[in-house]
Structures are given as structure tokens and as C-alpha cells.
Amino acid sequence: MGSVLKGVSGVRWGELSDAQQRPAVGIPPLLSRIAYGGEDTARLAVDELGDLICALGFVVGEATAATVPFLLELAGAPYVPCKAELLELLESICRTEQWHSAAAAVRGPKSTSFQEQPGWERAARAAVCAGRPVVEGIASSVRPEEAHAAKKLLWAMENLRPFPRL
């Protein structure tokens, strides 16, 4: 996939599910479009990718945590045109707690049909937080939209509520 996204081919996307519970095979082409497409193409790809890894802005999938390092890599790349949108997607992923809240409401994941999903949220949040150095670097960008989005994400990281107790 070029100088960025080298590790994408090492992920078994077909064995992971996206936020819509389908095989996550559509994620690598979207990452490539973000990395190597023009500005309009990249922005559309971020939007489509959001539907696959953070549906409705608050439902993550199994493949979300595996995708986050690539989003951070793209956000830190000097030529990617849609850094603010990538950071906004990362913020949505970081804030999600839909599966935890649903499991807590019915007294734990074992009493529901979803048992793995709270783990997906924990892993996705941890992956976003692990990218803090990248986000801190973007926060000092001369591009106001990028710096603002990075500062919002940093604020979200610092003010995360713990997941509901299961």
C-alpha cells in the first residue's frame, strides 16, 4: 500500500467484523483512498470508513481497534488532506460506550446476545489513547481545523468517563 499503511496487509480483515457485523474486508480499500486519493476522495472515504468502524458515531465493531493505528498513522502523515475528519472519527471511537451501557442495563454481557462487544469498546478506546503522542503533535499544527480537532480529542481522552460497570 505504499510508504504508509504497510501493516494493513498483515491484518486478517476477513476474520473481523465491522460495526455493521459484516466481514471487515472493505476497510483496507478505504484506508488506501484516504492515503492516496485526492481531497474529495479522501473525505468521502473517511465518511464511509466511519460507517464501518463507528456506526452512527457510537457503535464500534470488532475491527475498530485494528483500524485505529492506521487512522493515527494517516493523521500523522504530512500529506493526508483530511486530518481533522480523521481526528473527529477517532474522538467518536474514543467516546463510545454503547455496548457497555447496553450490557450494564441488562446486568452484564452474559445475560444478552452480545458478550464480546464491550471488549471491542475497551480495545478501541485503548488504541486511540495509545496514539496520544501523534495527536499531541497535531495539536500544534498551523492549520486551525487540525489543531482544534486534535485538542478536542486530547480533551476527550483526559475526560473519559469509565465504562459502566458490568
Side-chain angles (χ1 to χ4, degrees):
M1 290 210 155
S3 62
V4 296
L5 304 177
K6 287 182 181 178
V8 168
S9 62
V11 177
R12 294 181 170 168
W13 299 103
E15 296 176 16
L16 300 173
S17 60
D18 64 24
Q20 299 172 13
Q21 301 301 305
R22 297 181 304 214
V25 295
I27 292 174
L30 291 170
L31 290 169
S32 183
R33 286 175 34 203
I34 295 166
Y36 302 110
E39 186 171 346
D40 292 339
T41 298
R43 289 184 199 287
L44 287 171
V46 170
D47 189 48
E48 288 178 46
L49 186 61
D51 291 339
L52 296 182
I53 63 170
C54 192
L56 305 172
F58 60 87
V59 180
V60 298
E62 182 183 24
T64 303
T67 307
V68 166
F70 301 113
L71 298 178
L72 289 161
E73 181 182 0
L74 290 169
Y79 58 85
V80 173
C82 53
K83 293 181 188 216
E85 290 87 346
L86 289 168
L87 293 165
E88 290 165 1
L89 177 54
L90 288 164
E91 182 184 353
S92 293
I93 292 166
C94 189
R95 290 179 180 274
T96 189
E97 62 181 48
Q98 177 67 26
W99 292 117
H100 274 86
S101 296
V106 294
R107 296 197 172 42
K110 292 183 179 166
S111 62
T112 67
S113 63
F114 51 89
Q115 297 180 18
E116 300 165 327
Q117 290 87 334
W120 301 344
E121 284 178 335
R122 281 190 299 278
R125 181 181 284 183
V128 173
C129 290
R132 185 179 186 94
V134 172
V135 180
E136 287 173 342
I138 300 168
S140 61
S141 172
V142 296
R143 294 184 176 98
E145 68 281 357
E146 293 173 10
H148 177 71
K151 289 173 185 173
K152 278 185 65 184
L153 176 52
L154 290 170
W155 187 90
M157 288 178 185
E158 291 175 14
N159 294 285
L160 285 171
R161 297 182 328 186
F163 287 117
R165 205 173 152 106
L166 303 181

